[in-house]
Amino acid sequence: MAPPAASTTASAASATLHGRTAVVTGAGRGLGRAEALELARLGAAVVVNDLGRPGRDGSGEASPGPAEAVAGEIRAAGGRAVAHVGDVADFEQARALVRTAVDTYGSLDILVNNAGILRDRMVFSMTEEEWDTVIRVHLKGHFNTTRFAAEHWRQCSKAAGGPVYGRIVNTASEAFLAGSAGQPNYAAAKGGIVGLTTSTAHALRKYGVTVNAICPRARTRMTEDVFAAVPADGGKDPLAPEHVSPLVAYLASPPAAGVSGQVFVVHGGMVAVMERPRVAARFDTAGEAFGVAELAAVLTPYYAARGRGEGFASPEVLRLERRAGS
């Protein structure tokens, strides 16, 4: 779909984030780092969260840790940023993260939930720890920060007597959309994040807060074993995180005030808006209640007529790519 002709210099200018404060989780590297840098470029003060702590690099020199390193990049470029070293999957540390934004910059306007890990394995081989860890970091981590940001905005709205400025951008995944066979924990967590997104969007709408989810495809330290190598021809990497961060910045900006409860797939110069689930077929019992025989009589031929393997998952989303010449 071609972009609307209504894109104007005025609307682009209104995407400024000057005077806004953003929290980005898992922002010490990869996608989160690109998102933090982009929000700062547009003028936001950024609280850069990451779990990695200060230490020493390979040469033995002192290292500030990934969160402080990114915060330092932002400050060196003339922006405002502080680091927060903490585990967003810990309820109290998530509370402290939100409090850091408010105490340091006087407000919280944008929350980008990005922190995550991978523990890929087939469902018949997965350990309890591999399941619990991924669900904890992704799904509970998203909930924890959302819970305290939502509380903050609700209190602000009550004090103001009306809507306030609030933006949440959550990170889901194509693994949930496509039903990735080797990632049952990750797909389940990301599906849960979409549910959290739509529920929170409805709950916070009256306070002026928008909540959306992105399904990014990006080359990061977490996905370095998943994607092919960087193109050797020197061209722009279609899986560079910088293809994703502008969408995050847009969803965090004033022009996106009317966009909420949405799910986007984004990578390589392409953004796809995902459709909500729709009813594909309906069957009504001829009597007062269905029995097994009647269900077999209507459902078995229905599925026999559909394509083999066709179900709720959308594996075709993995074939999305930017059209040549667009």
Side-chain angles (χ1 to χ4, degrees):
M1 179 181 294
S7 309
T8 64
T9 302
S11 65
S14 68
T16 180
L17 296 175
H18 287 284
R20 305 295 183 189
T21 300
V23 165
V24 184
T25 72
R29 303 177 179 89
L31 189 54
R33 172 182 172 274
E35 292 164 345
L37 293 175
E38 181 70 3
L39 293 172
R41 186 186 69 81
L42 292 176
V46 184
V47 179
V48 181
N49 162 266
D50 201 273
L51 191 56
R53 297 185 178 277
R56 297 192 176 277
D57 61 23
S59 64
E61 295 293 323
S63 169
E68 178 55 40
V70 174
E73 280 188 77
I74 292 172
R75 293 193 297 267
R80 296 180 299 158
V82 295
H84 175 273
V85 178
D87 178 5
V88 294
D90 180 283
F91 200 65
E92 291 306 319
Q93 290 184 50
R95 186 200 302 268
L97 172 58
V98 170
R99 180 50 53 191
T100 296
V102 177
D103 289 349
T104 305
Y105 298 113
S107 68
L108 171 65
D109 304 288
I110 300 155
L111 169 62
V112 179
N113 283 312
N114 169 76
I117 60 170
L118 287 177
R119 296 290 187 272
D120 292 352
R121 201 177 297 275
M122 298 297 285
V123 69
F124 43 76
S125 304
M126 184 162 288
T127 67
E128 181 181 21
E129 186 275 335
E130 288 166 338
W131 173 270
D132 288 347
T133 299
V134 169
I135 296 296
R136 177 182 181 275
V137 174
H138 288 274
L139 186 52
K140 188 183 178 189
H142 272 62
F143 161 73
N144 285 348
T145 53
T146 296
R147 185 254 185 256
F148 293 112
E151 179 184 39
H152 170 74
W153 287 319
R154 180 170 178 265
Q155 291 172 347
C156 289
S157 178
K158 286 187 172 184
V164 296
Y165 192 102
R167 302 283 190 269
I168 298 177
V169 182
N170 290 330
T171 305
S173 172
E174 293 170 292
F176 150 68
L177 294 169
S180 179
Q183 298 180 300
N185 49 2
Y186 186 70
K190 294 306 190 180
I193 286 168
V194 171
L196 174 65
T197 298
T198 55
S199 174
T200 308
H202 285 300
L204 300 186
R205 180 174 289 117
K206 66 181 179 180
Y207 303 118
V209 178
T210 68
V211 190
N212 295 286
I214 63 169
C215 298
R217 193 186 304 175
R219 191 187 312 281
T220 67
R221 188 178 68 159
M222 194 172 82
T223 62
E224 61 187 357
D225 296 330
V226 177
F227 299 124
V230 177
D233 59 7
K236 188 170 181 63
D237 183 0
L239 295 178
E242 288 73 20
H243 285 295
V244 176
S245 53
L247 175 61
V248 172
Y250 163 73
L251 292 172
S253 72
V259 182
S260 192
Q262 305 300 313
V263 178
F264 302 87
V265 172
V266 53
H267 57 81
M270 183 218 72
V271 173
V273 179
M274 302 310 298
E275 183 63 281
R276 68 179 187 270
R278 295 183 180 274
V279 178
R282 171 180 165 169
F283 305 93
D284 297 287
T285 180
E288 293 185 358
F290 271 114
V292 174
E294 187 184 8
L295 286 170
V298 294
L299 290 177
T300 299
Y302 170 74
Y303 282 103
R306 295 183 65 171
R308 181 175 176 80
E310 183 180 344
F312 190 81
S314 303
E316 63 271 17
V317 75
L318 299 178
R319 297 192 290 273
L320 286 171
E321 60 183 25
R322 180 175 178 267
R323 288 190 289 263
S326 296

